[in-house]
Amino acid sequence: MSLEFELQKYPKQIKLKDASACQFRPLRKEDEKKFHEFFLAVPAPERMFIKHRVTEPDVIRDWCRNLDLGRNLPLLASMQGQIAGVATLHQQLGGWKRHIGRVSVLVLPQFRGRGLARALVAEIVAVARNLSLEKVEAEFIGDQEAAVKMFAMLGFSNLVRLEGYVKDMQAITHDYILMGLDLKTDEEYAGMG
Ligand SMILES: CC(C)(COP(=O)(O)OP(=O)(O)OC[C@H]1O[C@@H](n2cnc3c(N)ncnc32)[C@H](O)[C@@H]1OP(=O)(O)O)[C@@H](O)C(=O)NCCC(=O)NCCS
């Protein structure tokens, strides 16, 4: 299925487990200010684990002005007029990993514990499946236990754990964890024989 067709289903209204309403839709260039505010609201210790310098307005401006949803698809969750969370599907579009999507997720503390991250990841995995990706993966540092637990609940399994392999933005080393989920169904495999 084409990305264009897939994106037609947004905006999409979602109800979380505490019955609060939420809207899912892809990032737009007009979101620059709100998306920057979103990252400023992430607690500083957690920001250390984000791979980009997201507090710098230029970084977010560049993302919003040069949107390439085929490569990076940030799916925003809006609640009470604010960006509450985001799940992103990253695609390589070529090379050895062209059949593997990478998923990441981040939810602001005040919106946690009501199933938002789980709903966002389930949604972005469904998008990956509809785009005919064969696998999705997610990367973590050893301390992100809540996230690892949540991805495991969604069917991801641990592929790799490398001790002291990565460094956060303060150059402190952490374990690296790679989790993955196979999107091919048994019937698809059976049909390939
Ligand atoms: C991890 C994170 C995404 C969870 O967001 P959330 O919206 O609170 O998650 P959900 O409410 O959907 O929780 C789903 C499940 O994850 C688990 N979980 C979530 N937070 C947890 C925590 N702090 N401790 C233990 N388990 C936790 C629970 O089992 C929960 O299931 P339950 O609702 O049946 O109890 C959020 O804490 C976050 O953004 N953390 C920082 C960024 C990060 O680690 N990102 C992952 C890197 S890809």
Side-chain angles (χ1 to χ4, degrees):
M1 200 184 290
S2 76
L3 179 66
E4 202 176 49
F5 186 80
E6 188 57 21
L7 295 182
Q8 281 175 10
K9 62 183 180 204
Y10 302 107
K12 187 170 173 180
Q13 308 304 324
I14 305 284
K15 247 201 172 48
L16 300 178
K17 65 182 184 192
D18 66 350
S20 52
C22 176
Q23 190 196 65
F24 285 178
R25 65 162 177 83
L27 179 71
R28 299 191 288 241
K29 69 172 186 301
E30 308 80 67
D31 293 318
E32 192 178 312
K33 189 165 173 285
K34 277 191 176 172
F35 205 30
H36 185 231
E37 285 165 1
F38 169 79
F39 284 112
L40 290 178
V42 174
E46 285 180 15
R47 241 191 267 129
M48 284 298 131
F49 306 137
I50 301 178
K51 292 176 186 164
H52 306 270
R53 302 233 173 243
V54 289
T55 50
E56 289 178 19
D58 287 355
V59 171
I60 310 301
R61 185 171 308 134
D62 181 50
W63 288 356
C64 291
R65 296 200 182 168
N66 300 300
L67 286 175
D68 181 354
L69 299 182
R71 203 171 273 278
N72 292 306
L73 171 61
L75 189 68
L76 304 184
S78 301
M79 289 180 80
Q80 301 150 16
Q82 183 183 352
I83 300 174
V86 59
T88 306
L89 176 66
H90 308 263
Q91 291 187 70
Q92 296 286 337
L93 307 180
W96 285 5
K97 291 180 108 183
R98 64 188 179 280
H99 60 300
I100 307 173
R102 182 163 53 82
V103 171
S104 60
V105 68
L106 183 58
V107 169
L108 289 185
Q110 66 268 40
F111 297 104
R112 289 181 189 166
R114 44 178 113 178
L116 181 52
R118 197 200 290 223
L120 273 169
V121 174
E123 182 78 18
I124 210 87
V125 167
V127 170
R129 196 186 297 274
N130 291 341
L131 294 176
S132 302
L133 286 167
E134 294 172 26
K135 296 169 189 291
V136 279
E137 62 181 24
E139 298 178 308
F140 309 87
I141 57 130
D143 313 53
Q144 287 174 313
E145 283 162 19
V148 166
K149 188 174 164 198
M150 192 205 79
F151 275 78
M153 287 169 75
L154 286 167
F156 283 68
S157 54
N158 275 40
L159 301 177
V160 162
R161 184 176 187 124
L162 300 172
E163 216 170 293
Y165 189 64
V166 289
K167 283 184 179 175
D168 66 23
M169 289 305 200
Q170 279 186 333
I172 298 166
T173 50
H174 298 270
D175 291 356
Y176 168 81
I177 298 170
L178 180 68
M179 297 183 86
L181 174 69
D182 222 316
L183 300 178
K184 282 211 170 245
T185 61
D186 290 344
E187 301 91 79
E188 279 170 309
Y189 277 125
M192 281 165 62

